[in-house]
Amino acid sequence: MGESVQPSDGFVLAGKTYTSRLIVGTGKYRDFRETKEAIERSGAEIVTVAVRRVNITDPNTENLLDYVDPKRYTILPNTAGCYTADEAVRTCRLAREAGIGTLVKLEVIGDEKTLYPDVPGTLEAAATLVAEGFQVLPYITDDPVACKRLEDIGCAAVMPLAAPIGSGLGVRNPYSIKLIIDQSTVPVIVDAGVGTASDAAEAMELGCDALLLNTAIAGADDPLMMADAMRLGVEAGRKAFRAGRIPRKLYATASSPLTGLIG
């Protein structure tokens, strides 16, 4: 685990404690009102926003921050749509200049079709941003080596993908995710690919510190009901992880005691 379990099971990220372990995005909703209600139903306390796609910097036009109160939520600007390290760094600087803060989700996309991250570009951008005082949460492949290098650079967390962005395929490689969790001393936040509540529960049962998703809620037939479901899935998966599952066995084991029976 990236952070120690406290009595209240608080989630600590960049020095701040959160109750919810679900982080949600703000794209693909019908309007800002639906976005606001879905966030409320999810129970999330951290909300990520694509700086290049959703207005949070211009107060003279309709602004997401008119609906999502920065005093209530931690606003996490992200660099979605950036294909070079320079683009991503400039986008983070823009968010900081707009007063959003220094906690950022870093995305440097390497392939337009799969939206897989550019690992060298992500490492380059992360090093620059950390040196400039940003608290960086990098979206990255489910590669333990890349995650370790990002941690060594000084990132505040690592965010391996479960599957391609928006695919809804769920956790495709739980063994790699588990390796990342076991080696990390910073929080591990699964990002991208979750499709439904059972996927969220599976990720949390592996021992992930938190989960970030957007399309799974915004793209559902009923986004508000799915926001409820994701909140419950994350909570159930986290409790199951803490409780400790029974070991898998090839053969059956009787659930009733076999000793002390009356003949």
Side-chain angles (χ1 to χ4, degrees), residues 8-257:
S8 63
D9 195 33
F11 166 48
V12 181
L13 179 63
K16 185 174 179 179
T17 301
Y18 299 91
T19 301
S20 173
R21 291 174 179 266
L22 177 59
I23 304 169
V24 296
T26 52
K28 303 183 180 180
Y29 289 98
R30 288 179 299 181
D31 52 41
F32 283 157
R33 287 182 175 81
E34 184 179 64
T35 306
K36 176 183 178 182
E37 189 169 353
I39 294 168
E40 290 173 350
R41 295 274 286 268
S42 76
E45 298 166 293
I46 305 173
V47 178
T48 187
V49 182
V51 177
R52 298 180 61 157
R53 296 172 180 165
V54 178
N55 178 35
I56 57 172
T57 59
D58 183 0
N60 298 316
T61 60
E62 188 177 34
N63 192 312
L64 176 67
L65 301 185
D66 294 332
Y67 297 83
V68 181
D69 186 357
K71 295 179 181 178
R72 177 178 178 184
Y73 300 101
T74 294
I75 304 300
L76 176 63
N78 70 60
T79 63
C82 294
Y83 284 80
T84 68
D86 286 344
E87 282 183 322
V89 169
R90 285 198 301 270
T91 301
C92 291
R93 289 170 178 162
L94 175 64
R96 180 172 61 183
E97 289 167 6
I100 306 302
T102 57
L103 184 68
V104 295
K105 177 190 170 185
L106 172 64
E107 293 184 32
V108 182
I109 301 300
D111 179 73
E112 190 171 353
K113 184 176 181 180
T114 64
L115 300 181
Y116 264 50
D118 177 340
V119 175
T122 302
L123 290 165
E124 178 187 344
T128 299
L129 290 167
V130 168
E132 292 185 9
F134 286 91
Q135 298 160 306
V136 181
L137 314 181
Y139 160 69
I140 194 64
T141 52
D142 55 348
D143 175 3
V145 174
C147 286
K148 189 60 179 174
R149 288 181 178 171
L150 286 163
E151 180 180 334
D152 291 343
I153 284 171
C155 290
V158 291
M159 304 179 71
L161 55 81
I165 293 172
S167 68
L169 291 171
V171 181
R172 293 292 85 197
N173 197 338
Y175 306 103
S176 289
I177 298 295
K178 186 61 177 169
L179 286 172
I180 293 166
I181 292 167
D182 287 348
Q183 75 178 12
S184 297
T185 59
V186 296
V188 176
I189 304 169
V190 161
D191 179 15
V194 166
T196 191
S198 58
D199 299 333
E202 180 184 5
M204 298 307 296
E205 286 173 6
L206 288 170
C208 295
D209 295 278
L211 180 69
L212 191 154
L213 54 86
N214 182 187
T215 305
I217 295 178
D221 291 343
D222 186 333
L224 303 184
M225 187 179 293
M226 185 59 81
D228 281 331
M230 288 299 186
R231 172 177 52 80
L232 295 169
V234 168
E235 291 174 0
R238 177 62 182 174
K239 287 183 178 180
F241 169 74
R242 295 185 71 199
R245 63 159 292 140
I246 63 171
R248 292 178 172 87
K249 297 179 181 179
L250 183 60
Y251 296 101
T253 302
S255 57
S256 299

